[in-house]
Amino acid sequence: MFCQELAAQLARDVLPRLDDAGHKLLAVGIGTDERAREFCGHVGFPEANLYADPENAAYDALGLKKGWQTTFMTIDTPLSILKRAQSDGAKDLLDATSRWKPWLPPKSDQGLQQGGAFVFEGEQLLFQHYDPSTGAHADLDVLLQAALAGEVAQAR
Amino acid sequence: MAMQRSFLLAAAVGSAGALNAHALLKPVSVLRATNGERVSLTEQWNADERAVMVLMRSFG
């Protein structure tokens, strides 16, 4: 549900800005490529920007958070929902909830995996966010600011 | 203010972990949603390109 909300926001708010600037967007999800295509059709996310990681290899490589505590026992998830409620009544999350289809990842422990967001220029890391818990994604305005900073600096 | 702090923090991270995160991802391959082809994740953008990479929990 949170992933479907995030994908819809990326397609609507982030991808057009990155396209205009000539930057790339890569979204990665845990699961098969067949499920990735279903996800794109369901959420309205472009297949060309989505990659499937059935073995959660990228998540392991980066050491993204994983486990019962970070999935269920932190304050970050309720705080992130409160932030949504205060900003726009959690509209995007409610939209995602209304069309949500439950789906289980290939391995049971992958349900305890958290995500993250990164901005690279070539090999250089410009921004990183490790989701502290479910739904506590990077602020997309901050993510865009990091990605577009070069253009802003050149425009001044 | 909070946004500015986050961005400055992100900028600081850039200098410390610059090569590390990319190097960690270099052996990782993923499947294109378009056709299921297995590809290197870090080869999806070039040395002179900027890329935003978002890792979602799952497709649920």
Side-chain angles (χ1 to χ4, degrees), chain B residues 19 30 32 35 38 41 47 54 59:
Chain B
L19 288 174
V30 291
R32 287 187 196 278
N35 57 7
R38 186 167 283 278
L41 188 53
V54 178
F59 296 126

Side-chain angles (χ1 to χ4, degrees), chain A residues 2-51:
Chain A
F2 287 106
C3 297
Q4 296 184 15
E5 175 204 27
L6 177 58
Q9 290 173 332
L10 289 171
R12 182 192 65 203
D13 302 331
V14 175
L15 183 57
R17 302 276 307 276
L18 294 178
D19 279 347
D20 286 347
H23 301 327
K24 290 190 170 177
L25 173 66
L26 296 84
V28 181
I30 295 174
T32 63
D33 58 302
E34 290 89 352
R35 174 57 193 168
R37 285 188 286 277
E38 287 176 27
F39 180 85
C40 287
H42 186 64
V43 178
F45 191 84
E47 289 184 8
N49 295 88
L50 187 62
Y51 297 82

Side-chain angles (χ1 to χ4, degrees), chain A residues 1 3-4 6 18 23-30 33 35-37 39 47 50-52 55 58-59 61 100 103 111 113-123 125-128 134 141-142 145-147 150, chain B residues 2-4 6-7 10-11 13-15 17-26 28-39 41 43-60:
Chain A
M1 173 169 61
C3 297
Q4 296 184 15
L6 177 58
L18 294 178
H23 301 327
K24 290 190 170 177
L25 173 66
L26 296 84
V28 181
I30 295 174
D33 58 302
R35 174 57 193 168
R37 285 188 286 277
F39 180 85
E47 289 184 8
L50 187 62
Y51 297 82
E55 303 92 10
Y59 301 73
W100 182 57
W103 178 79
Q113 179 69 62
Q114 301 302 324
F118 301 81
V119 179
F120 291 95
E121 183 163 74
E123 295 187 0
L125 179 67
L126 302 180
F127 173 89
Q128 66 176 9
T134 306
D141 288 333
V142 177
Q145 190 181 356
Chain B
M3 182 183 290
Q4 191 177 22
S6 299
F7 188 65
V13 163
S15 59
L19 288 174
N20 195 27
H22 189 274
L24 290 171
L25 286 171
K26 250 191 171 162
V28 172
S29 64
V30 291
L31 308 175
R32 287 187 196 278
T34 48
N35 57 7
E37 179 189 3
R38 186 167 283 278
V39 295
L41 188 53
E43 288 178 10
Q44 301 312 299
W45 70 94
N46 297 321
D48 59 349
E49 285 184 314
R50 199 170 294 181
V52 172
M53 186 173 69
V54 178
L55 293 101
M56 304 180 291
R57 292 184 65 215
S58 70
F59 296 126

Side-chain angles (χ1 to χ4, degrees), chain A residues 47-98:
Chain A
E47 289 184 8
N49 295 88
L50 187 62
Y51 297 82
D53 185 0
E55 303 92 10
N56 52 279
Y59 301 73
D60 288 349
L62 291 167
L64 296 179
K65 292 182 182 297
K66 187 176 188 178
W68 283 99
Q69 183 165 356
T70 192
T71 303
F72 298 112
M73 305 295 285
T74 79
I75 191 69
D76 297 287
T77 298
L79 285 178
S80 75
I81 294 172
L82 178 63
K83 187 177 174 186
R84 290 169 169 87
Q86 289 173 335
S87 65
D88 65 353
K91 183 180 177 305
D92 290 339
L93 183 59
L94 291 172
D95 284 348
T97 304
S98 69

